[in-house]
């Protein structure tokens, strides 16, 4: 088999195994019991650090910059919190290398559970799979999910859709649809 088809077969096999494992998980419970508490604690600690840096009313108008990010991170760490391993180096805001190293370590930990026994015993397959998944799949997803603009657009889209649905439901309940409501819905 050629190299590209061998990689494709390995990726497909890994995805099948991963999907089978995910089917058995209680995802709502995972989100509510493990992820939400960590996310809430993180936001609380960040807000506390931001308040310490800017003041109680966030009255100090500091320009958003890399230096401000480093100051906030150092305050965050100073309060006993720890930074994520991918960004724990406070000497620079250029974290791509440490992010990729962290993703590689995560993928290395998961690969033995999703690779076939034959592929798991091959160092070459492990390295190629790790690099493809960490740097070509997970890194772009992580970058997208950490982009504030992505979240702003997503929230705006959801709110807009919700607003439209509320207007349509209201119009159906009242049995009428005014000209201005129609024009407003078309603009959304």
């Amino acid at each position: 088999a050629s190299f590209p088809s061998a990689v494709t077969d390995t990726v497909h096999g890994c995805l099948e195994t991963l999907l089978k494992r995910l089917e058995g998980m209680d995802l709502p419970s995972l989100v509510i019991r493990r992820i939400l508490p960590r996310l809430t604690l993180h936001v609380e600690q960040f807000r506390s650090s931001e308040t310490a840096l800017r003041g109680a009313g966030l009255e100090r108008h500091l320009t958003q910059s890399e230096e401000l990010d480093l100051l906030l991170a150092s305050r965050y760490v100073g309060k006993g919190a720890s930074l994520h391993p991918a960004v724990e180096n406070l000497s620079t805001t250029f974290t791509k290398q440490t992010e990729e190293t962290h993703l590689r370590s995560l993928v290395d930990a998961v690969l033995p559970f999703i690779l076939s026994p034959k592929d798991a015993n091959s160092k070459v397959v492990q390295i190629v799979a790790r690099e493809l998944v960490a740097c070509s799949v997970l890194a772009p997803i992580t970058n997208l999910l950490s982009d504030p603009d992505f979240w702003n657009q997503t929230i705006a889209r959801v709110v807009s859709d919700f607003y439209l649905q509320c207007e349509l439901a209201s119009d159906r309940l009242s049995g009428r649809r005014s000209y201005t409501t129609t024009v407003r819905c078309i603009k959304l």
Side-chain angles (χ1 to χ4, degrees), residues 164-180:
L164 177 63
Q165 291 301 318
C166 287
E167 276 196 352
L168 292 174
S170 174
D171 291 343
R172 285 188 195 122
L173 288 174
S174 67
R176 64 170 170 72
R177 184 167 197 145
S178 69
Y179 172 75
T180 53

Side-chain angles (χ1 to χ4, degrees), residues 74 76 116-117 129 132:
S74 64
Y76 182 78
S116 69
L132 282 173

Side-chain angles (χ1 to χ4, degrees), residues 61-75:
H61 299 290
L62 301 172
T63 305
Q64 193 66 33
S65 65
E66 290 182 3
E67 290 80 19
L68 178 60
D69 291 343
L70 289 173
L71 270 170
L72 277 172
S74 64
R75 291 285 179 135

Side-chain angles (χ1 to χ4, degrees), residues 10-31:
T10 300
V11 169
H12 283 266
C14 288
L15 287 175
E16 286 176 22
T17 305
L18 186 61
L19 288 174
K20 285 178 188 172
R21 287 182 170 269
L22 287 175
E23 286 173 357
M25 290 181 69
D26 182 10
L27 290 177
S29 176
L30 175 70
V31 169

Side-chain angles (χ1 to χ4, degrees), residues 10-11 14 107 111 115 124-134:
T10 300
V11 169
C14 288
V107 172
L111 279 179
L115 283 174
V124 172
V125 171
Q126 286 179 3
I127 292 170
V128 170
R130 178 192 67 204
E131 293 302 311
L132 282 173
V133 173

